[in-house]
Amino acid sequence: MQAEDTPLILPFREPPMRGKFHILTGPNGAGKTSYLSWLADTTLAQIRDGHSDYRRVVCLSGTVHDRYSVGIWSTRTIASDDCVYLGYRTNNNAFSDISPFRSLALHFLYGKRPADRISKSLAAEFMVQLGFKPEMRVTSRRYNGRVQETYVFDFSRDDAPSVAGGFDSIAGCAIEFARDDRLLSVSHLSSGQKWYLLTILAACFCVHDGSLVVIDEPECSLHPEWQLEIMERYLSILEKRGVAHTTVISTHSPLVTSSVPNRRSVLCNLPADAMWRDTVFHGQTADTVLSSQFGVVSPRSPEVISLLQAGLHFLAKGEQGGDAFKEIVDRLRSFNLTLDKDDPLFDAFDTVLTIEGGL
């Protein structure tokens, strides 16, 4: 891992377009995560210098390997209204899956912008659809003999819990969600559930007018169905809340890339591109996006493709009777593949396996 004080090598410094959803793609090592870190730091510095049209930077990370700087992930205080970090780093540079939810609790308890009815209603609707009760429970730790206190944030209600007495330390609080009359701590949720919950609750309560939102790998740990819907739901919530925002994500997922309407989004593919350009992938198949944007011609196993091409080569030369061809056929049969008749490779596959020389 690169040291915190080592300058980032950035092949790309194009600023985001206000009000657009930005999709940053590229192979591992292309500089996507470094760009997100640079963008968050630069924007936060400009906000604090009074030289930015943005008012807040919101940083989310689907991976523990984000590269947001210490100036970003050490901002879990009420005074840091201009920066919200919802990632897994803690202030001692360790990692915790509870930490981002404690940051949410901080905003629920002491935030300068109380949640409105629309935000609560959208959060409640989402949590119920996900199988949870529309609430988040926060329990303080015992400290110097003080009795533990539990605050229940019920998103289906308009009232807020009292914070009289306060928490001794938000860092020590426990976070729980309710499902099927059971209380589940954050650590008992799947990684995908935690990330989906965190992203949507952030859209409901942490993103306000003038926010720059930076998200590293929103597809992390998500089932393909959730990959396809997470950013669409995120944008839908912000649209219903009427929030003016700019969002930048880095992703390796063709499902995430194709899930955002073209009119809302721009795209850059590192290291080939040097600027943001309009997207055309909304509604396209995953295969089309894989080929056009990610350079993967087919999601099919490369070994299967290679063997099939070799078999067709032998057939074209009329050499299907030799041991080499038989070895290819035996290898293909060992995969126990069953292709649909509408598969483009069905005829070629069937020919190689059933040709007389291969029997």
Side-chain angles (χ1 to χ4, degrees), residues 59-61 63 66 68 76 85-90 96 98-101 103 195 198:
C59 298
L60 291 97
S61 177
T63 170
D66 71 61
Y68 298 120
R76 291 188 176 94
Y85 172 70
L86 298 175
Y88 299 106
R89 288 180 183 268
T90 64
S96 167
I98 302 177
S99 186
F101 290 94
S103 294
W195 174 238
L198 185 65

Side-chain angles (χ1 to χ4, degrees), residues 11-295:
F12 176 72
R13 291 177 183 261
E14 185 74 12
M17 301 178 186
R18 288 297 298 265
K20 285 285 190 177
F21 186 94
H22 301 69
I23 304 170
L24 190 62
T25 65
N28 296 104
K32 301 184 300 299
T33 302
S34 295
Y35 173 79
L36 297 187
S37 176
W38 168 81
L39 179 61
D41 283 340
T42 301
T43 304
L44 182 58
Q46 291 171 346
I47 291 173
R48 292 177 175 175
D49 288 342
H51 297 147
S52 177
D53 292 332
Y54 295 109
R55 304 174 193 170
R56 166 179 280 192
V57 178
V58 181
C59 298
L60 291 97
S61 177
T63 170
V64 298
H65 301 296
D66 71 61
R67 300 191 54 188
Y68 298 120
S69 71
V70 63
I72 297 295
W73 52 257
S74 63
T75 55
R76 291 188 176 94
T77 66
I78 299 304
S80 303
D81 188 59
D82 53 11
C83 183
V84 179
Y85 172 70
L86 298 175
Y88 299 106
R89 288 180 183 268
T90 64
N91 284 350
N92 59 3
N93 204 17
F95 301 100
S96 167
D97 59 354
I98 302 177
S99 186
F101 290 94
R102 287 174 175 159
S103 294
L104 277 176
L106 191 70
H107 287 275
F108 293 156
L109 284 166
Y110 304 111
K112 298 178 181 178
R113 311 181 195 192
D116 56 43
R117 180 178 297 180
I118 294 177
S119 297
K120 286 185 175 181
S121 175
L122 291 169
E125 178 184 351
F126 165 72
M127 293 187 71
V128 169
Q129 289 178 356
L130 210 58
F132 294 95
K133 289 185 177 180
E135 63 184 41
M136 175 173 155
R137 303 172 69 92
V138 184
T139 303
S140 66
R141 66 177 179 178
R142 295 182 185 274
Y143 186 74
N144 287 343
R146 179 175 288 191
V147 177
Q148 285 181 306
E149 295 182 84
T150 296
Y151 303 108
V152 180
F153 300 95
D154 188 339
F155 305 128
S156 65
R157 297 168 58 97
D158 288 336
D159 59 326
S162 169
V163 294
F167 277 39
D168 292 294
S169 173
I170 198 73
C173 69
I175 308 290
E176 294 174 310
F177 294 93
R179 187 171 194 175
D180 299 327
D181 296 322
R182 294 182 298 135
L183 290 178
L184 300 173
S185 68
V186 169
S187 60
H188 285 96
L189 302 180
S190 73
S191 56
Q193 287 175 320
K194 283 182 283 197
W195 174 238
Y196 204 178
L197 273 171
L198 185 65
T199 303
I200 299 307
L201 292 179
C204 290
F205 302 112
C206 296
V207 182
H208 301 294
D209 281 340
S211 292
L212 171 67
V213 188
V214 184
I215 308 177
D216 197 8
E217 298 187 19
E219 72 274 14
C220 209
S221 299
L222 296 185
H223 182 277
E225 182 179 0
W226 282 3
Q227 289 185 36
L228 191 60
E229 71 178 45
I230 185 170
M231 289 292 95
E232 185 176 11
R233 185 185 289 268
Y234 162 88
L235 285 172
S236 175
I237 286 173
L238 293 178
E239 186 174 85
K240 290 176 181 177
R241 289 182 57 212
V243 174
H245 68 99
T246 300
T247 297
V248 183
I249 71 167
S250 68
T251 182
H252 294 284
S253 170
L255 298 176
V256 170
T257 301
S258 64
S259 67
V260 182
N262 296 332
R263 62 181 174 82
R264 294 184 180 182
S265 59
V266 292
L267 182 146
C268 177
N269 188 42
L270 296 179
D273 290 344
M275 62 186 299
W276 299 107
R277 56 184 174 83
D278 292 338
T279 58
V280 294
F281 294 122
H282 184 56
Q284 301 279 6
T285 67
D287 284 357
T288 297
V289 182
L290 277 172
S291 176
S292 301
Q293 187 64 25
F294 293 89

